[in-house]
Amino acid sequence: MVVGAGYAGVVAANRLASAGRPGVTVTVVNPRPEFVERVRLHEHAAGVSEAVRPLRELLRGGVRLRVATVETVAERSVRLDDGDALEFDYLLYAVGSTTAHGTAGREHAYGIADLDGAESLRTRLRSLAAGARVVIVGGGLTGIESAAEIAYSYPSLTVELVSPSVAAWLPASSRARIQRKLVNAGVVLRTGVRVTGVRPDGVQTDAGWVPSECTVWAGSFEVPDLALRSGLPVTADGRLRTDDALVCVGHERIVGAGDAVAPPEGVGSHLRMSCQAAMPMGAHGADTVLALIRGERPAPLSIGMAGQGISLGRRDGFIQAAHRDDTPRDLAFSGRAAAVLKERVCRFTVASMRHAGTYRWLSGPTPTTPAPAASRTQAQTQSQAQS
């Protein structure tokens, strides 16, 4: 059973099914029958593309799909929100993440880390009169991409980005180029301030009041509390604790993958919440399940990062290359070529999910070149990338 049909869940399900092991059936449990392409949610909100597609188009023919929400996970079964219980021999936990809630009045802002939030924001943007102010809270990748997309799609609106910093995890030269491109797109940058509360008519910051007819929350991510509610071992932020092969600590029939999982630092400290990490984690999680079925010891996780692609509207983008430990390299480029590459990566991502049986990825960083602690922390806490 695979719980969750995001990037990690779909890859895991298809890789398990493609193994063709006799007697093994794969069931995916997901709250909706569609796959949400999270890397396009900012485009969906701005009305320039659609971020959903039927899961049956992505899942292999032999994979069963059960549309429901898992309420609790037991040792060999799950309880669903419709009252049913499903048994499993092995479970792959891939429930993903969403926008964190915590700041006072957060409910007055539109989220953009899930389809419902992006859909509501799309409707709201279309209803705004010329000159209305749209305030985006957050200077990570989600905030950057959303600000640029909305500014280009709605030039009659005033778009402001409020955050202590913009792209703080990148080198100074890259930060400066991204900020210049945002300003050129018409985005007003309010940096050096922190939002302390949200109201229907604006946001309160530590530097004063900022009025807003539409507030977009693009802050940090959090994970569902399913593992916590189920009594499974979790970290302080609620992620499922696993060993270096992604097997849940103390529960050998549960394997984790994606944003909601916390492997040991030795193999996972550099992995930020992103589809770039989720997909190889899903594939590795599937390989771990197959090894367990065969009675073999699963291999430890090894994933290397390649960089970050940032869309800045349909005709501009920014590519930052990275070492395998996700620290930036001295290589970055922007403009139309970066936008084209970003788009091709997004399309290739979906194609790779369909053919998960042959999916390959970069191996992890070598222990002789560890990332500086500060850079690793910034990349994990400030990056809102989905690609």
Side-chain angles (χ1 to χ4, degrees), residues 128-313:
L128 293 175
R133 300 177 73 167
V134 177
V135 171
I136 294 156
V137 180
L141 290 181
T142 301
I144 293 168
E145 292 187 325
S146 299
E149 203 72 62
I150 294 171
Y152 277 119
S153 300
Y154 292 90
S156 65
L157 301 178
T158 299
V159 180
E160 303 184 23
L161 191 152
V162 180
S163 179
S165 57
V166 175
W169 67 97
L170 294 180
S173 59
S174 295
R175 294 199 304 270
R177 288 165 67 183
I178 289 172
Q179 290 181 40
R180 284 198 301 270
K181 287 177 175 294
L182 287 172
V183 171
N184 290 340
V187 178
V188 177
L189 298 181
R190 292 179 178 266
T191 57
V193 297
R194 186 178 302 277
V195 172
T196 57
V198 182
R199 295 203 323 229
D201 57 346
V203 298
Q204 183 65 46
T205 77
D206 54 9
W209 175 252
V210 179
S212 171
E213 280 79 29
C214 175
T215 302
V216 181
W217 193 265
S220 59
F221 295 149
E222 65 181 12
V223 302
D225 63 351
L226 174 59
L228 178 64
R229 285 188 284 108
S230 301
L232 298 172
V234 298
T235 57
D237 59 3
R239 290 178 297 157
L240 182 75
R241 291 179 57 230
T242 74
D243 65 12
D244 62 3
L246 297 181
V247 179
C248 178
V249 174
H251 298 267
E252 62 181 13
R253 291 184 175 271
I254 298 176
V255 176
D259 291 355
V261 172
E265 286 194 3
V267 297
S269 64
H270 63 295
L271 300 178
R272 53 188 158 83
M273 292 183 177
S274 62
C275 73
Q276 186 178 165
M279 289 178 60
M281 287 180 77
H284 185 91
D287 292 347
T288 291
V289 170
L290 292 169
L292 294 174
I293 291 174
R294 294 190 300 265
E296 300 172 358
R297 181 181 177 86
L301 183 70
S302 180
I303 297 174
M305 305 295 275
Q308 295 176 333
I310 308 173
S311 67
L312 298 167

Side-chain angles (χ1 to χ4, degrees), residues 31-32 52 56 68 100 114 122 158 168 192 202-204 216 221 270 273 277 296 299 336 350 352 367 386:
R32 61 194 329 137
V52 293
R56 286 268 50 116
D114 56 64
R122 185 178 192 168
T158 299
V203 298
Q204 183 65 46
V216 181
F221 295 149
H270 63 295
M273 292 183 177
E296 300 172 358
R336 179 63 175 169
V350 174
S352 298
Q386 263 86 105

Side-chain angles (χ1 to χ4, degrees), residues 55-142:
L55 273 170
R56 286 268 50 116
E57 291 183 359
L58 296 180
L59 294 173
R60 288 178 63 93
V63 177
R64 301 171 181 174
L65 174 62
R66 178 65 184 273
V67 180
T69 298
V70 174
E71 293 287 347
T72 55
V73 177
E75 197 64 34
R76 295 291 293 272
S77 66
V78 298
R79 182 170 59 84
L80 306 181
D81 59 347
D82 59 12
D84 282 356
L86 298 179
E87 296 183 350
F88 63 83
D89 294 298
Y90 292 92
L91 180 141
L92 200 142
Y93 184 89
V95 298
S97 63
T98 188
T99 305
H101 297 74
T103 300
R106 163 67 180 82
E107 66 274 11
H108 299 304
Y110 294 88
I112 203 164
D114 56 64
L115 180 60
D116 292 339
E119 192 68 45
S120 296
L121 176 57
R122 185 178 192 168
T123 301
R124 177 58 175 160
L125 289 172
R126 289 173 173 173
S127 71
L128 293 175
R133 300 177 73 167
V134 177
V135 171
I136 294 156
V137 180
L141 290 181
T142 301

Side-chain angles (χ1 to χ4, degrees), residues 11-23:
V11 168
N14 284 344
R15 195 171 180 92
L16 287 165
S18 67
R21 187 172 178 85

